[in-house]
């Protein structure tokens, strides 16, 4: 009876707004009083119903999961486009929105289905006039259906059962952006990011339980070694505008992403802290690609219907913004790309960029930060502790640790030479979208060699890797290279990403992810210094 009432209420509400949805366009949460989340089959049912007979929609597959499921991406445009080439020819910005990267964090998956039906069957088709939208509602297809109760305690069994975090290969898909070992990640790069080149990427998540006072928190793509303009535009224009509109139109509070620690700071807290800067996180990698990205984190402790509502409102207002300002976004990205290439051409061998970073406070604190109140007490053992109270309060001038300063820098080269024996390194760069060429004749290069004096592996594995740290120093050298060796000219759009991948001391590069371990072990680095096999050139003749 309760399920029937929910469906009737949903239908009544939508009919009063001028739209009544057939059952096949209702999400599984809507049909189960928000006790259950959608299976892969149920998502595909809504997707197929939404795109049926639509003059605007085209369904593509990003690739297949380990278990053979197609990862659906709905391409929406007016007029309709069916390929990346057609999309680019329009000159419109391409906006990519992704849900379910962690399949226990379900509201993005559900909210995108709601937006699909509104855009393709409802009154929001105007959002396709000035932009091309790519929706991937169920990125982690396999793990979505491995549902059990109690997987995410902070969500308090709303929904009752959810899938698991990692994909079916055991990888966390949001830590895979640099090593790209997951089939899903490879499909994302090869079939979406590289060919379609989204101007803005939106990744939909749920927090892991922090008790701030917002229904949803957000973060931009942290730029680190990249250009600052896309970050500035996202931080100063998109996010404030969207935050204000969501509050005005929906009464929903949004705020900056961050954790706080009463144990170390006491109460009231003085600071919040964002997540790591590493480009292994897909949102952050877009900063190194001279593109914009937004992380969305729904508040875990709200009920599923509330998390769906806040995620829906956030994404919708982002799309309203990009609908109006898409050309401006393209221009900011283009300017950043040109700046990255110009820096290589004009300053290679002269300037340094960061390769390792530390988190620091931004210059401007948060004027007003919403948070659940806390009180100091003692536990049964007489130890001081802080307990959460039920009311939300506002703290003034809270430091926001969402900036990053370089702790180690390296000289920006004109490019890198990769020995022909290391074709797997060249292939990896190409998969991520870099342009890699092959020497057609014997050549001479001047630049730097890094001599490693030690390779330290982490004691504990992370994502199946004992992360590597290489110590040593650079020296100026002139070297000869043979026809057939690979070279990467950094005067290309992905200059900053390639730099972060290839620098031997990078905190998230290919050295970090053990791509060179076998080489260093074979060269007996434990007993003697060993040259890093990638030559950093300033001039190649």
């Amino acid at each position: 009876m309760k399920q029937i009432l929910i469906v009737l209420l949903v239908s009544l509400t939508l009919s009063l707004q001028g739209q009544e949805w057939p059952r096949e366009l209702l999400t599984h949460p809507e049909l189960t009083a928000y006790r259950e989340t959608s299976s892969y089959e149920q998502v595909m049912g809504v997707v197929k119903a939404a795109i049926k007979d639509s003059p605007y929609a085209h369904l593509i597959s990003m690739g297949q999961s380990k278990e053979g499921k197609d990862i659906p991406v709905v391409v929406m445009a007016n007029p309709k486009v069916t390929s990346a080439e057609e999309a680019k020819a329009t000159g419109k910005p391409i906006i990519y929105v992704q849900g379910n990267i962690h399949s226990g964090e379900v509201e993005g998956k559900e909210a995108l289905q709601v937006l699909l039906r509104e855009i393709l069957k409802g009154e929001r088709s105007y959002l396709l006039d000035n932009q091309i939208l790519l929706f991937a509602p169920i990125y982690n297809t396999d793990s979505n259906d491995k549902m059990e109760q109690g997987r995410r305690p902070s969500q308090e069994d709303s929904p009752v059962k959810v899938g698991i975090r990692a994909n079916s290969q055991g990888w966390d898909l949001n830590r895979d952006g640099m090593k790209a070992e997951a089939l899903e990640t490879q499909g994302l790069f090869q079939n979406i990011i590289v060919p379609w080149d989204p101007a803005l990427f939106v990744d939909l998540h749920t927090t892991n339980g922090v008790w701030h006072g917002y229904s949803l928190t957000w973060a931009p793509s942290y730029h680190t070694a990249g250009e600052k303009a896309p970050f500035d535009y996202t931080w100063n224009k998109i996010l404030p505008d969207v935050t204000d509109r969501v509050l005005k139109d929906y009464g929903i509070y949004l705020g900056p992403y961050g954790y706080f620690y009463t144990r170390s700071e006491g109460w009231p807290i003085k600071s919040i802290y964002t997540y790591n800067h590493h480009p292994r996180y897909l949102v952050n990698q877009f900063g190194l690609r001279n593109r914009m990205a937004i992380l969305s984190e729904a508040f875990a402790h709200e009920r599923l219907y509330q998390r769906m509502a806040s995620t829906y409102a956030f994404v919708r207002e982002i799309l309203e913004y990009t609908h109006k300002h898409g050309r401006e976004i393209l221009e900011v990205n283009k300017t950043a790309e040109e700046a990255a290439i110009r820096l290589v051409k004009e300053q290679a061998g002269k300037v340094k960029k960061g390769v390792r970073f530390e988190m620091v406070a931004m210059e401007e604190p948060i004027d007003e930060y919403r948070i659940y109140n806390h009180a100091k007490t003692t536990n049964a053992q007489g130890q001081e502790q802080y307990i959460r109270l039920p009311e939300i309060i506002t703290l003034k001038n809270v430091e926001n640790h969402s900036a990053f300063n370089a702790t180690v820098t390296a000289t920006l080269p004109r490019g890198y030479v990769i020995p022909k024996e290391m074709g797997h390194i060249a292939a990896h760069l190409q998969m991520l979208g870099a342009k890699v060429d092959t020497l057609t004749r014997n050549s001479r290069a001047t630049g730097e060699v890094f001599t490693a004096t030690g390779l330290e592996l982490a004691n504990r594995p992370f994502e199946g890797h004992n992360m590597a740290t290489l110590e040593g120093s650079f020296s100026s050298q002139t070297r000869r290279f043979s026809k057939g060796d690979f070279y990467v000219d950094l005067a290309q759009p992905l200059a900053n990403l390639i730099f972060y991948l290839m620098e031997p001391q990078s905190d998230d590069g290919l050295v970090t992810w053990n791509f060179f371990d076998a080489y260093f072990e074979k060269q007996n680095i434990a007993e003697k210094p060993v040259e890093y096999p990638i030559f950093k050139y300033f001039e190649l003749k």
Side-chain angles (χ1 to χ4, degrees), residues 101-154:
I101 190 170
H102 297 143
S103 61
E105 303 169 24
V106 300
E107 49 285 308
K109 170 184 65 178
E110 310 297 358
L112 287 183
Q113 294 175 71
V114 175
L115 281 162
L116 268 178
R117 75 188 182 205
E118 290 191 355
I119 294 170
L120 298 178
K121 302 296 187 186
E123 299 176 349
R124 306 211 188 281
S125 61
Y126 65 88
L127 289 173
L128 306 179
D129 291 347
N130 302 326
Q131 60 191 341
I132 295 168
L133 303 182
L134 273 61
F135 280 10
I138 187 163
Y139 182 50
N140 191 348
T141 57
D142 290 347
S143 296
N144 182 82
D145 288 4
K146 298 178 174 68
M147 296 187 193
E148 288 185 7
Q149 187 173 356
R151 281 250 166 79
R152 287 180 58 83
S154 61

Side-chain angles (χ1 to χ4, degrees), residues 501-528:
L501 283 160
M502 298 300 288
E503 282 300 311
Q505 292 178 296
S506 167
D507 59 18
D508 209 23
L510 296 185
V511 167
T512 307
W513 290 104
N514 309 123
F515 278 67
F516 293 94
D517 282 10
Y519 165 82
F520 283 115
E521 289 171 8
K522 185 177 180 180
Q523 298 297 318
N524 199 18
I525 193 171
E527 301 295 332
K528 62 180 181 179

Side-chain angles (χ1 to χ4, degrees), residues 448-452 470-475 504-505 530-532 534:
E448 290 184 339
V449 169
F450 185 83
T451 301
L470 199 61
E471 298 300 338
S473 60
F474 284 99
S475 60
Q505 292 178 296
V530 175
E531 285 188 359
Y532 177 55
I534 309 302

Side-chain angles (χ1 to χ4, degrees), residues 4 15 48 50 56 64 72 84 126-127 145 148 183 224 242 251 292 390 394 396 409 413-414 418 431 481 500 516 524:
I4 294 172
S15 64
K48 290 175 181 177
Y56 310 124
Q64 285 195 334
Y126 65 88
L127 289 173
D145 288 4
E148 288 185 7
L183 295 173
T224 55
V242 169
M292 298 181 196
T394 300
K396 301 287 188 180
T409 61
R414 177 59 193 247
I418 303 169
M431 179 179 64
F481 296 96
Y500 217 106
F516 293 94
N524 199 18

Side-chain angles (χ1 to χ4, degrees), residues 178-202:
M178 298 295 262
K179 61 187 178 72
E181 292 177 296
L183 295 173
E184 292 87 349
T185 312
Q186 294 169 10
L188 177 63
F189 282 118
Q190 293 172 332
N191 299 315
I192 301 297
I193 292 177
V194 174
W196 292 84
D197 188 19
L200 173 67
F201 167 51
V202 183

